[in-house]
Amino acid sequence: MRKGPIIFVVIVLAVLGLLIRSVYTLLTLLFEDFSRDAIPHADFLVPNSTAIYERPQLIPKIIHQTYANDSIPEHWKAPQQSCIDLHKDYEYKLWTDDKAHAFIEAEYPSFLATFESYPHPIQRADAIRYFVLAHYGGVYIDLDDGCNRRLDPLLSYHAWVRRTVPTGISNDAMGSVPRHPFFLRVIDSLPHYHRNWYLPYITIMYSTGPLFLSVLWKEYMRDDTSEPRRVRVLMPDDYSKHPSSFFNENRGNSWHGNDAQLIFWMGRHWLLLTVLGFSTAGLLALSFWLISRRLSFLSRVSASGANGTPIMGGGGAVANGSSSSSPKPKERRRARASGGTALSSLVPRAWAWPWRWRQRQRWAPGGNRRRGRGRKEGYDYELVEHQHEV
């Protein structure tokens, strides 16, 4: 086997390996069911049960929320007030843009340059929630998530996040003790994920948003799952849409742009797009291989013609005044050589599709053109000879 095809296969496999390695964590999220880290539904006693207060409460009673300023939009005032009314014994912190900037500048000055360089305001809103949970501890809740019951049962875990659809975890509701290792890793990773992916939705999701948090959670839980360091997962039925759920969802996603609709469509048809992607890559690889073989063959024909030694199938050669060696039965061909005979084209028929190309050469008036067929190294070729009158 020639070295060319081997090198080509090795390069293709290496590129595929690098691509799979770069998205390995994202691929594993598609098959993550979160059952190992899910908070059991039985842990959530009915609201107002006295047994709730017999369990240790590890997370501080602090509710964090974020907005650009103190003027909360009318459609978010009711969800915000529901959390305040249900938790009068909790400390409430609303992190406006000015307060968030002052906090980062005072407590985490090394991150201030990254914080200020975020092109989208939602990225700063995402980042500040990780920092306040790592610093103070407590529970973070998006303004569009109203409270349906008290959060006391969720305070019994060192850290928790919620599962989202279709996969991964979200950052709209989460809780933590101060200085939890997971959220410390999150704030340390923010500068490394600060990249522009051209589409605003992808840039936000993978630099500070839920996709960023999901990848870090998957990598973190792969390393250590001991209980003090563990991050538990609030499942969808306990999050919302049930009478005993902790939250109720309201109108949100104010930062979504037109590109988000494209991403959502791609998410709904991810299997089709995956098959199309691999099929396109396979066709491109096949085309590259066929073209490389054609060019390699033509270069050998050109070199042979320059040396005055035409290539023939079955190991035979035609030179001036000489004939080919006796072919094998399966390699029989009709070709004659006489004075002045030269090879003008030798084109593999196996490569005729899809280009349907033949190389033809002009010959002198009165010349006779003879065709022959044969085999060379496993493929058919068409031999065209030109005999010129002298």
Side-chain angles (χ1 to χ4, degrees):
M1 188 176 183
R2 293 189 180 88
K3 292 183 179 179
I6 297 177
I7 295 174
F8 175 75
V9 171
V10 170
I11 292 175
V12 170
L13 292 178
V15 171
L16 288 176
L18 290 174
L19 290 175
I20 293 175
R21 182 179 182 276
S22 63
V23 297
Y24 175 75
T25 303
L26 295 176
L27 292 175
T28 57
L29 280 172
L30 295 174
F31 305 99
E32 177 64 60
D33 62 359
F34 299 91
S35 58
R36 184 186 64 173
D37 303 297
I39 302 176
H41 181 73
D43 284 7
F44 301 135
L45 302 174
V46 295
N48 302 321
S49 171
T50 56
I52 293 176
Y53 304 100
E54 297 176 359
R55 300 169 59 182
Q57 295 186 339
L58 306 174
I59 296 176
K61 291 185 174 183
I62 306 174
I63 292 178
H64 302 276
Q65 293 190 304
T66 63
Y67 193 64
N69 49 55
D70 292 316
S71 300
I72 306 299
E74 193 65 33
H75 58 276
W76 285 342
K77 286 184 177 179
Q80 177 197 30
Q81 195 61 40
S82 68
C83 292
I84 295 175
D85 292 343
L86 280 171
H87 304 91
K88 295 184 181 298
D89 55 333
Y90 282 52
E91 182 182 359
Y92 180 80
K93 291 179 177 289
L94 178 64
W95 294 94
T96 63
D97 289 352
D98 292 338
K99 291 178 181 178
H101 187 279
F103 171 78
I104 295 295
E105 186 177 22
E107 300 292 343
Y108 300 92
S110 61
F111 184 72
L112 185 61
T114 302
F115 188 76
E116 292 176 339
S117 66
Y118 283 130
H120 305 284
I122 186 62
Q123 291 176 288
R124 288 185 285 275
D126 283 337
I128 191 61
R129 66 189 69 179
Y130 305 136
F131 277 96
V132 297
L133 286 179
H135 191 83
Y136 295 105
V139 178
Y140 172 82
I141 309 170
D142 265 1
L143 282 172
D144 56 344
D145 284 343
C147 292
N148 192 50
R149 57 178 289 186
R150 283 182 63 88
L151 304 176
D152 297 335
L154 294 173
L155 304 183
S156 301
Y157 308 96
H158 292 88
W160 59 270
V161 291
R162 82 165 184 92
R163 182 182 179 179
T164 189
V165 176
T167 187
I169 60 176
S170 181
N171 65 352
D172 59 351
M174 48 192 176
S176 171
V177 298
R179 313 294 297 176
H180 190 276
F182 173 66
F183 284 99
L184 291 178
R185 176 181 290 194
V186 170
I187 62 177
D188 287 340
S189 301
L190 283 169
H192 303 293
Y193 281 78
H194 181 27
R195 298 185 181 93
N196 185 359
W197 296 95
Y198 301 105
L199 290 176
Y201 184 84
I202 296 295
T203 298
I204 294 168
M205 290 288 286
Y206 200 55
S207 63
T208 60
L211 188 57
F212 158 78
L213 193 66
S214 298
V215 169
L216 289 181
W217 175 84
K218 186 67 176 179
E219 294 174 349
Y220 175 84
M221 296 304 290
R222 195 182 298 145
D223 297 337
D224 193 349
T225 57
S226 59
E227 191 55 42
R229 300 170 57 88
R230 194 176 182 185
V231 180
R232 305 301 295 272
V233 178
L234 182 68
M235 301 304 282
D237 288 345
D238 296 316
Y239 166 67
S240 67
K241 299 180 180 178
H242 289 275
S244 60
S245 299
F246 286 94
F247 304 98
N248 51 70
E249 298 177 273
N250 297 271
R251 180 163 62 93
N253 300 328
S254 58
W255 58 273
H256 286 182
N258 293 331
D259 61 323
Q261 303 304 319
L262 172 63
I263 302 300
F264 293 154
W265 181 88
M266 293 173 66
R268 292 192 297 269
H269 302 86
W270 67 270
L271 183 58
L272 172 63
L273 293 176
T274 300
V275 172
L276 289 177
F278 278 102
S279 300
T280 302
L283 288 175
L284 290 175
L286 178 61
S287 300
F288 179 80
W289 179 71
L290 290 174
I291 292 173
S292 65
R293 287 200 61 182
R294 176 186 290 275
L295 294 176
S296 175
F297 176 79
L298 293 177
S299 65
R300 288 187 286 110
V301 170
S302 177
S304 175
N307 295 331
T309 308
I311 301 175
M312 289 283 295
V318 176
N320 292 337
S322 64
S323 59
S324 61
S325 61
S326 299
K328 297 179 181 180
K330 291 185 179 181
E331 296 173 341
R332 183 171 300 161
R333 61 203 177 278
R334 293 184 304 170
R336 296 182 179 87
S338 60
T341 301
L343 181 67
S344 65
S345 64
L346 187 61
V347 181
R349 289 188 174 183
W351 301 339
W353 184 87
W355 297 277
R356 305 297 300 175
W357 176 84
R358 291 289 187 274
Q359 179 183 3
R360 302 197 181 277
Q361 182 175 337
R362 294 180 180 273
W363 61 89
N368 298 322
R369 186 176 65 171
R370 293 200 293 270
R371 293 179 180 271
R373 291 189 59 191
R375 294 181 62 83
K376 179 174 176 60
E377 299 177 359
Y379 51 77
D380 292 336
Y381 68 83
E382 181 180 357
L383 174 64
V384 181
E385 295 177 304
H386 301 289
Q387 181 177 2
H388 304 282
E389 294 180 356
V390 181

